[in-house]
């Protein structure tokens, strides 16, 4: 979500479209700012205490407090504004915008970043019980909000189908599917959207390792499975190295598993790094094993760097590349079979080069901000065609990404 907002704002700034980022913390600005900041500090600090005591209580407090202050911030911003589009990054942000707007001339469009429902994402993190009171409360919020917005932006066909499967009313809202996008790392700071760029990656820096993976160290990302693939590959005579960029609660467990599998010398947990896109070209392939994704910026950035991709086909991942073209799909329940697929790719030098070039071309066509962001902008401004009846043209002057704390950069 953070990357989606950051990349969109970068595109809007470079293409001359005014935009404003609105967050709950904006309430602390203006008259009485010092006191307002103290209030926010106390309220949001309470959430940190609740997180240690009760997951469901923390989730309820987090969501409720952020919505309250986002609504107040938006009300102050939209009260005297003319026609505009509020691009909400979660259902709570959309509800805050619907409450705060001064009329239908201020359009509210919701980005669907979540997998199925935000309730399921909190459950996956272990913060709420699946089917519990807070879980049901979150789904009830989505049932009430999603059908009321003026438009829905899905980042994959899978995400649209997953939401409509349990919330059929979402099908009545004008919508579009626009894949996430990232700025081309070879474009250069002065390059304008729509530039011409080579379809091959820049020369590779000195080799950093064989495999690389990027993502928070959480159970749903399934890094443990990657380690089991490495162990299987070593047993077959292929001791490939793996660097993982990201932090999270799984770090200790992953280190222990690497030791248990006898591959500690092959695995490096690099932690959080801001320059990951710059490091990617030093690897031979990108690997991914997540259980569920509505999209994947990490895979897109790897393809931008010209890396072939090995991934599960879960969720929306099967939409991102074609098996045997830009990379390979592997099973996530058979590390021996996955290791064989990995070796088949990496031991074929010409195949690795061809898949890397194909990945780069696919990125330029489907995920480069210069190619994709204009389509999103047209829909936000009301000029794009939705898939539900009743989509019309809305005047829009200032597309303003808005969201709870989770939607900020």
């Amino acid at each position: 979500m953070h990357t989606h907002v950051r990349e969109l704002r970068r595109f809007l700034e470079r293409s001359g479209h005014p935009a404003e980022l609105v967050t709950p913390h904006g309430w602390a600005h203006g008259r009485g700012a010092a006191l307002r900041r103290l209030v926010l500090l106390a309220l949001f600090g309470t959430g940190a205490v609740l997180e240690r005591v009760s997951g469901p209580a923390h989730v309820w407090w987090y969501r409720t407090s952020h919505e309250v202050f986002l609504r107040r911030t938006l009300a102050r911003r939209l009260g005297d504004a003319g026609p505009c589009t509020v691009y909400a990054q979660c259902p709570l942000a959309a509800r805050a915008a619907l409450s705060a707007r001064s009329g239908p001339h201020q359009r509210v469009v919701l980005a669907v970043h979540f997998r199925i429902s935000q309730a399921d994402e909190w459950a996956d993190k272990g913060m709420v019980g699946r089917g519990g009171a807070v879980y049901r409360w979150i789904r009830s919020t989505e049932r009430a909000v999603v059908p009321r917005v003026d438009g829905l932006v899905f980042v994959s066909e899978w995400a649209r189908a997953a939401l409509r499967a349990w919330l059929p009313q979402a099908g009545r809202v004008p919508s579009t599917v626009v894949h996430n996008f990232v700025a081309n790392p070879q474009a250069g700071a002065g390059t304008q959207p729509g530039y011409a760029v080579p379809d091959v990656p820049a020369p590779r820096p000195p080799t950093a390792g064989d495999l690389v993976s990027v993502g928070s160290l959480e159970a749903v990302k399934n890094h443990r499975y990657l380690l089991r693939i490495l162990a299987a590959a070593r047993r077959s005579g292929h001791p490939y190295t793996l660097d993982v960029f990201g932090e999270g609660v799984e770090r200790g467990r992953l280190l222990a598993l690497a030791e248990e599998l006898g591959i500690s010398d092959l695995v490096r947990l690099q932690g959080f790094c801001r320059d990951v896109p710059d490091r990617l070209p030093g690897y031979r392939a990108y690997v991914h094993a997540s259980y569920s994704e509505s999209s994947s910026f990490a895979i897109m950035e790897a393809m931008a760097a010209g890396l072939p991709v090995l991934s599960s086909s879960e969720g929306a991942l099967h939409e991102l590349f074609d098996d045997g073209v830009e990379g390979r799909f592997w099973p996530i329940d058979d590390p021996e079979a996955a290791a064989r697929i990995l070796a088949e790719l990496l031991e074929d030098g010409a195949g690795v080069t061809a898949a890397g070039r194909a990945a780069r071309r696919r990125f330029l066509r489907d995920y480069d901000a210069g190619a994709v962001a204009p389509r999103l902008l047209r829909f936000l401004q009301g000029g794009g065609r939705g898939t539900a009846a009743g989509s019309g043209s809305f005047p829009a002057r200032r597309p303003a990404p808005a969201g709870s704390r989770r939607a900020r950069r």
Side-chain angles (χ1 to χ4, degrees):
M1 188 184 299
H2 299 164
T3 305
H4 180 86
V5 173
R6 182 181 68 243
E7 294 293 339
L8 175 58
R9 293 186 73 204
R10 180 185 298 175
F11 169 80
L12 293 174
E13 290 168 3
R14 291 175 59 183
S15 57
H17 291 85
E20 178 181 352
L21 179 66
V22 182
T23 76
H25 294 269
W27 179 77
H29 302 314
R31 182 180 300 178
L35 178 59
R36 288 171 181 248
R37 282 195 291 270
L38 287 175
V39 171
L40 286 180
L41 182 63
L43 288 172
F44 293 155
T46 300
V49 175
L50 287 174
E51 187 172 10
R52 298 185 179 92
V53 177
S54 168
H58 164 70
V59 171
W60 176 86
W61 179 261
Y62 177 92
R63 290 170 59 86
T64 300
S65 60
H66 281 76
E67 182 184 3
V68 166
F69 290 102
L70 179 60
R71 183 172 63 248
R72 293 183 178 184
T73 306
L74 282 170
R76 186 168 59 188
R77 174 64 187 85
L78 296 175
D80 58 355
C84 62
T85 295
V86 180
Y87 187 35
Q89 300 302 299
C90 70
L92 290 180
R95 184 163 67 179
L98 289 168
S99 274
R101 69 179 179 178
S102 57
H105 61 290
Q106 295 175 338
R107 192 173 185 231
V108 178
V109 177
L110 170 63
V112 181
H113 295 291
F114 49 86
R115 302 183 306 273
I116 305 175
S117 164
Q118 286 193 316
D120 295 274
E121 295 193 340
W122 284 113
D124 288 342
K125 293 176 182 289
M127 298 296 291
V128 304
R130 197 173 297 276
V134 175
Y135 180 97
R136 296 194 307 272
W137 170 65
I138 295 173
R139 284 214 165 189
S140 175
T141 297
E142 292 167 352
R143 286 191 186 94
V145 173
V146 170
R148 295 175 54 208
V149 299
D150 299 301
L152 293 169
V153 173
F154 295 93
V155 295
S156 65
E157 291 286 355
W158 177 87
R160 177 156 63 181
L163 178 62
R164 289 180 175 180
W166 76 270
L167 186 56
Q169 298 92 324
R172 303 172 190 163
V173 181
S175 68
T176 188
V177 175
V178 179
H179 283 289
N180 280 320
F181 49 86
V182 294
N184 188 332
Q186 295 182 35
T191 307
Q192 295 300 314
Y195 45 76
V197 293
D199 65 355
V200 295
R204 293 189 181 280
T207 300
D210 295 316
L211 309 174
V212 61
S213 189
V214 182
S216 56
L217 305 184
E218 299 178 353
V220 71
K221 297 297 184 180
N222 205 19
H223 291 104
R224 298 186 203 183
Y225 184 65
L226 292 179
L227 302 192
R228 298 190 186 281
I229 295 173
L230 284 190
R234 165 168 268 181
R235 289 193 296 271
S236 67
H238 302 292
Y240 301 126
T241 63
L242 170 66
D243 284 0
V244 180
F245 292 92
E247 269 302 346
V249 296
E250 286 281 293
R251 168 177 277 273
R253 299 184 186 94
L254 291 172
L255 291 173
L257 180 59
E259 181 72 25
E260 175 188 331
L261 294 173
I263 57 170
S264 293
D265 60 320
L266 302 179
V267 179
R268 292 180 293 186
L269 302 185
Q270 300 281 13
F272 174 77
C273 296
R274 295 186 180 277
D275 62 343
V276 170
D278 296 331
R279 301 186 183 207
L280 290 175
Y283 296 90
R284 300 173 64 194
Y286 179 84
V287 292
H288 205 75
S290 177
Y291 288 125
S292 177
E293 298 270 12
S294 60
S295 185
S296 174
F297 278 106
I299 288 179
M300 294 173 191
E301 290 178 339
M303 295 172 74
L307 298 187
V309 178
L310 295 108
S311 170
S312 69
S313 59
E314 299 298 307
L317 297 179
H318 71 279
E319 299 179 33
L320 298 182
F321 67 96
D322 292 324
D323 189 36
V325 181
E326 298 91 2
R328 294 293 306 275
F329 290 126
W330 57 16
I332 56 172
D333 57 358
D334 188 342
E336 299 289 340
R340 288 194 295 272
I341 292 172
L342 173 62
E344 287 172 5
L345 177 63
L346 291 191
E347 298 308 310
D348 178 4
V352 168
T353 299
R357 288 178 178 269
R360 173 70 180 167
R361 290 192 295 270
R362 180 71 173 262
F363 166 78
L364 292 174
R365 187 189 75 196
D366 293 344
Y367 313 123
D368 177 15
V372 182
R375 298 204 301 267
L376 173 59
L377 180 60
R378 283 195 297 272
F379 184 80
L380 293 179
Q381 292 179 322
R385 291 184 178 180
T387 60
S391 61
S393 179
F394 295 80
R397 232 175 20 199
R398 298 174 62 97
S404 66
R405 184 178 179 184
R406 296 179 69 199
R408 294 186 296 115
R409 290 178 62 181

